[in-house]
Amino acid sequence: MAPNEQGRSARKHEAIMEAATAVFMEKGYSGTSMDDIAKLAAVSKQTVYKHFADKEKLFAEIVLATSGRIDGMIDLVADIPADPDALEDNLHRLARQFLTALTQPQVLQLRRLIIANADTFPDLGTAWYEQGFERVLATLAATFQRLADEGLLRVDEPLLAANHFSGLLLWIPVNKAMFTGGPQHTEAELEHYAAAGVRAFLAAYR
């Protein structure tokens, strides 16, 4: 394939991915057709099938592509300095960025979409969790263990501590979004959840 043809093919592939993401999130998996995706991507249905054998494979590629975007969050989680005088401030900064990233409307929509289809595609849901959020938790656990080794935290089970930290932050805004269909929080509320979550975490683990 000539370079120009490769470029056109890559652009069409990206257009199909973007269109499919939008349609899946609007109509759900069962309510989406390849015709819908082709129309929004401004390509023929034959072109969609040329790039993706069927709707299931297209859905899987969209879901798994998002798990690769978690690297920035992992870098953030791993970068907490071992500074006893700034521990609460550093954890608060992490908590706020954590909340901002994981309560974005598209992230919440994708989460609802994956949960809604977990019975149909259990392996896909498992892969998305393991390659995404579970990687963040594992990195956070290693960070908490490092801080414990420096004497800043008391941690017997680092992975459990990582789950406690994320749960304190995400329980309210994410559950509200899952049950009501979209974000129900303000920026001020996210700030409050971050500060209160860090205080509760440090009360248990410092």
Side-chain angles (χ1 to χ4, degrees), residues 93-165:
R93 190 175 303 110
L94 169 65
R96 193 64 181 84
Q97 292 171 303
F98 201 73
L99 275 165
T100 297
L102 296 179
T103 57
Q104 292 295 313
Q106 189 175 47
V107 174
L108 293 169
Q109 284 180 303
L110 181 65
R111 182 187 178 101
R112 293 179 73 241
L113 184 62
I114 293 168
I115 291 171
N117 293 279
D119 288 340
T120 305
F121 305 116
D123 291 343
L124 182 59
T126 298
W128 184 80
Y129 181 79
E130 290 177 347
Q131 295 176 26
F133 195 53
E134 194 166 66
R135 287 172 59 211
V136 175
L137 289 172
T139 304
L140 187 57
T143 296
F144 286 162
Q145 182 61 66
R146 172 173 58 81
L147 294 175
D149 292 342
E150 295 286 341
L152 276 68
L153 296 175
R154 295 181 295 105
V155 177
D156 295 324
E157 299 180 65
L159 186 57
L160 184 59
N163 276 278
H164 285 163
F165 183 82

Side-chain angles (χ1 to χ4, degrees), residues 14 27 54 57 68 77 99 104 121 155 164 166 168 175 202:
E14 183 63 27
K27 298 185 175 182
D54 52 41
K57 287 184 172 58
V77 167
L99 275 165
Q104 292 295 313
F121 305 116
V155 177
H164 285 163
S166 61
L168 287 166
N175 272 319
L202 289 176

Side-chain angles (χ1 to χ4, degrees), residues 12 15-16 19 35-45 47-48:
K12 286 181 180 180
I16 293 167
D35 284 313
D36 295 329
I37 295 166
K39 182 178 179 180
L40 187 59
V43 299
S44 68
K45 187 163 72 170
T47 298
V48 176

Side-chain angles (χ1 to χ4, degrees), residues 5 24 26 48 73 78 81 91 94 103 105 123 143 148 163 169 177 193 196:
E5 292 179 354
F24 279 133
E26 179 185 352
V48 176
M73 178 62 68
L91 288 178
L94 169 65
T103 57
D123 291 343
T143 296
N163 276 278
L169 302 177
Y193 299 149

Side-chain angles (χ1 to χ4, degrees), residues 75-98:
D75 291 341
L76 181 69
V77 167
D79 199 34
I80 302 173
D83 181 351
D85 295 327
L87 179 62
E88 185 167 353
D89 287 343
N90 288 330
L91 288 178
H92 180 268
R93 190 175 303 110
L94 169 65
R96 193 64 181 84
Q97 292 171 303
F98 201 73

